[in-house]
Amino acid sequence: MIQKRVHIAALLLAALLFLLLYGYKIIDPSHIEWEMTGDNCFNFLGWHFFRTEAWHFPLGVINKYHYPSGTGVVFTSSIPLLAIPLKLFNDFLPKTFQYIGLWLLASYMLQGFFASLLLKKFSNDWRLILLGTTFFILAPIMFFRAWGHEALTGQWLILAALYLYFSPATTPTRIKYMLLILIATMVHFYLLAMVLAIWIAYLLKESLLGANKKYSAIYFLLTMIIVVCNMWVSGYFTIPVASAATSGFGYYSMNLLAPFNPAGAGDTTFFNKIKLATNGQYEGYNYLGVGVLLLMVMSLFKLPKAIKKCKLKATLVPLSLVMLALFVYSLSGKVTLGSKVLFEFKYPWLLQDLANILRASGRMFWPVYYTLMLTAMFIIIKYYKPKIALAILLIALLLQVIDLYPWYRSRNLEHRTFVSSLKSKDWQKIASGVKHIVMIPPIVKSDGQYNFALYAANNHLDINTGFVAREDLAKRAKYQQKLLTDFANNKLQEKTLYIVNKHYMIFPTAKNNSKHLFGRLDNYYIIVPSNLKLKLGNWFRVNHYNISKNTL
């Protein structure tokens, strides 16, 4: 019975492990406190603005967040795959609604499901399949992304792409690949790039097997056209293509010691953290864990036999070449070992610009990571006796859990709290009399950034800040310069709440402006329309010198 339903068992196992790791509270759609700190708050805020926006085309556009430039749900990592369909039901959803917790649960379950599908290709023993599946469910690189970059927990997309790679070269497989690529497009661009890389390996494999080249070319072009159209609808092109390239390639890279070094994430039992070459190499966190390392060592003893007997040598060449390319890319142009830079090389200018689109190159090792795990398990399951293979997997899994337990224990998302610093009842009165919220200066790391973004979304106001993955830098710089110049010259917009950083103020008060009230509310320096008739304490005046000298 279990043998026939091993994939259902994998789904249930993944759900159970998820609840053990994270608890059940974050699944509650009304529970947003765990999301309102760090980078992950912008996943929720992007959706919270998007859900109440009027429908636009492209569908994924958000106008009121990061105003006046606006953005798209893809750039707030709000997972368009869920955000766009859920917006259809916005009138039926509660005022406060988050789906990221459910996304995490679904990602873990799908991770287990596709891992079991992959392992089923090598074994019919349900015990070996479920043990092997557990390693994929507990993968450190997935656990690392489950707070702050939740969209990136969709690593089941990589496993699904690998599963299709080892599937027969048929029309249904091609259609499934196309569907998988479209799903990846609406989850996260980095995952899309990884799935596309494996898909290209699959097309090369088909070519080696004698596939019709004309048919393959048509299929490739059709898929890419559909992908680009889907990207447009999802909101990728709300910024110029040139703005997708930014700095950071080489800084957010993978260290050569990453598979053996837990630096960049939580503590482990067996290995100490080794200093990294750059602070940004946390993006290249690819620690395998002691258990997986043991599996790799044990697989080496049977590697010669596996190479000799493997019947898939020719078909593995394209995948191996793609994995090698991803490995090299993950290191960027600066190859590092611990804190030392071994050597550097320059990409040609065009490739450098393309590389800066996927600047967090350390993430691109993930397909290699899972392929290494899969290869080690394949060799152990296939070339050791069943009882020995079972013992190896059991011991390795025990060591893996012991190794990662300190980190598991420190992660407790459901007990995170968030209390808004906007205590006064006057905030609601202000919201009823304004249409815009303007932060001075208009930068993301402003005092009260989470509080005012949530306040704006709750009251259907626009706000001129927002954490976005990419933006039109030239357009944004022009807006910022004009805003600060107008502010310095006392050209204030109507129906606008200004939140002003204290470094742009001096005391005591100057002559009052008849159209605006200047003062403090809940320790924030604000400017509001005078017709609101608020009583604000600690008057101030604009420090024109600071406005003209400060830079963003």
Side-chain angles (χ1 to χ4, degrees), residues 274-469:
I274 302 171
K275 188 177 179 181
L276 300 171
T278 72
N279 291 333
Q281 286 192 329
Y282 73 90
E283 285 289 6
Y285 176 81
N286 283 290
Y287 180 59
L288 288 165
V290 165
V292 174
L293 291 172
L294 175 62
L295 292 180
M296 295 180 69
V297 170
M298 296 304 296
S299 69
L300 291 176
F301 292 108
K302 297 291 184 178
L303 183 60
K305 185 177 181 180
I307 293 173
K308 185 178 180 180
K309 290 191 174 184
C310 184
K311 299 178 181 179
L312 301 174
K313 293 178 184 177
T315 58
L316 288 175
V317 170
L319 185 64
S320 300
L321 290 175
V322 167
M323 292 302 152
L324 178 61
L326 290 173
F327 170 62
V328 172
Y329 183 82
S330 71
L331 300 175
S332 74
K334 184 183 293 185
V335 181
T336 58
L337 183 72
S339 60
K340 296 181 179 179
V341 177
L342 298 182
F343 61 89
E344 297 183 52
F345 60 92
K346 291 287 185 181
Y347 280 68
W349 68 270
L350 180 59
L351 288 180
Q352 184 71 29
D353 286 344
L354 292 174
N356 274 319
I357 294 176
L358 293 168
R359 61 175 185 165
S361 63
R363 299 174 182 176
M364 299 305 292
F365 187 74
W366 297 351
V368 186
Y369 183 105
Y370 284 121
T371 302
L372 289 173
M373 286 177 60
L374 184 64
T375 302
M377 290 180 196
F378 164 73
I379 293 173
I380 289 171
I381 291 172
K382 202 76 175 175
Y383 297 104
Y384 279 97
K385 293 180 179 179
K387 289 184 178 179
I388 296 176
L390 189 63
I392 292 172
L393 288 173
L394 276 170
I395 293 170
L397 182 58
L398 179 62
L399 289 173
Q400 186 82 346
V401 172
I402 292 172
D403 187 30
L404 298 171
Y405 183 72
W407 190 20
Y408 294 153
R409 190 177 179 183
S410 67
R411 177 72 62 87
N412 199 334
L413 299 183
E414 66 176 0
H415 288 99
R416 293 185 180 275
T417 58
F418 169 77
V419 178
S420 175
S421 59
L422 309 183
K423 306 292 186 184
S424 175
K425 294 180 179 179
D426 284 338
W427 292 114
Q428 203 55 46
K429 186 175 181 181
I430 292 172
S432 64
V434 301
K435 292 183 178 180
H436 318 283
I437 298 179
V438 172
M439 308 289 283
I440 301 288
I443 57 176
V444 175
K445 301 298 182 182
S446 307
D447 292 340
Q449 56 178 320
Y450 310 138
N451 299 286
F452 285 110
L454 182 62
Y455 169 70
N458 285 340
N459 291 283
H460 309 295
L461 309 174
D462 57 55
I463 188 168
N464 71 333
T465 60
F467 186 86
V468 293

Side-chain angles (χ1 to χ4, degrees), residues 491-510:
K491 295 180 180 179
L492 303 179
Q493 301 173 27
E494 295 183 357
K495 295 188 176 182
T496 299
L497 163 64
Y498 286 86
I499 315 297
V500 190
N501 185 282
K502 63 183 179 180
H503 296 297
Y504 286 73
M505 301 298 151
I506 60 172
F507 298 91
T509 182

Side-chain angles (χ1 to χ4, degrees), residues 29-40:
S30 65
H31 179 59
I32 67 167
E33 285 79 1
W34 70 280
E35 286 200 276
M36 289 304 296
T37 56
D39 287 354
N40 60 328

